[in-house]
Each structure stands twice: as structure tokens, then as C-alpha cells.
Amino acid sequence: MSLEELGTLVTGAGPTHVVGDDTRLFVADTNGDEILVLSVVPEVSEIGRIKVAGAPYGMAIDPVADSCGSRSRPPTAWSPWTSPAPTLFP
């Protein structure tokens, strides 16, 4: 993992938090009630959006279980979500 800047992208109504793997970033768009799915290979680009209930804030991904989810703000129950890709973590 590196803190190297990969590029910039203006997207979403109010992105607040990010989690990722080697090729993708999942961004909590807290103001837009969505999870933004970004690719970082070969360059930063939006590849999908996942509509979620409430304003997503905290997120986690689990490549072993091929799952992910978020909590909204103010804190509510954990909300699992799926990626637009056939599997989240190939």
C-alpha cells in the first residue's frame, strides 16, 4: 500500500470516507446516499454507484468473505451492500 497520489476525480454530492483494495476504492457519498465505486487502474475513474438507505458514513470491506457494508449517520444498523461487479474481490 502506498500514499502515492493516483489522480483526482470530482464525483458525488458529498464524499466523506473511503476504503479500498488494490484496484478499487469505495467512497461513502454521505450527502448523496450512495457508495461510489472507483477504479484506480489504469487511471482513477468512476465505475459504479450503489444506492444505500440513509447517509453512508462508516464502511468496511472483507475480501475473504467477498462482502462489504456501511453504517449511516446518525448511527443506524449495519447495511450490507453489493458491488455492481459480479464479485467484489476477484
Side-chain angles (χ1 to χ4, degrees):
M1 180 160 307
S2 166
L3 296 178
E4 173 187 355
E5 182 177 318
L6 301 173
T8 58
L9 179 70
V10 177
T11 188
T16 55
H17 294 81
V18 63
V19 295
D21 60 18
D22 291 339
T23 62
R24 289 171 302 172
L25 301 174
F26 298 91
V27 180
D29 184 6
T30 303
N31 291 343
D33 297 338
E34 295 180 307
I35 304 297
L36 309 174
V37 184
L38 310 179
S39 173
V40 296
V41 178
E43 60 186 19
V44 179
S45 61
E46 184 177 313
I47 59 173
R49 291 175 179 236
I50 304 165
K51 192 73 174 160
V52 294
Y57 196 71
M59 298 183 300
I61 57 175
D62 183 351
V64 174
D66 194 37
S67 66
C68 44
S70 62
R71 290 183 72 103
S72 62
R73 197 173 112 189
T76 59
W78 181 252
S79 301
W81 38 267
T82 58
S83 170
T87 62
L88 289 167
F89 307 97

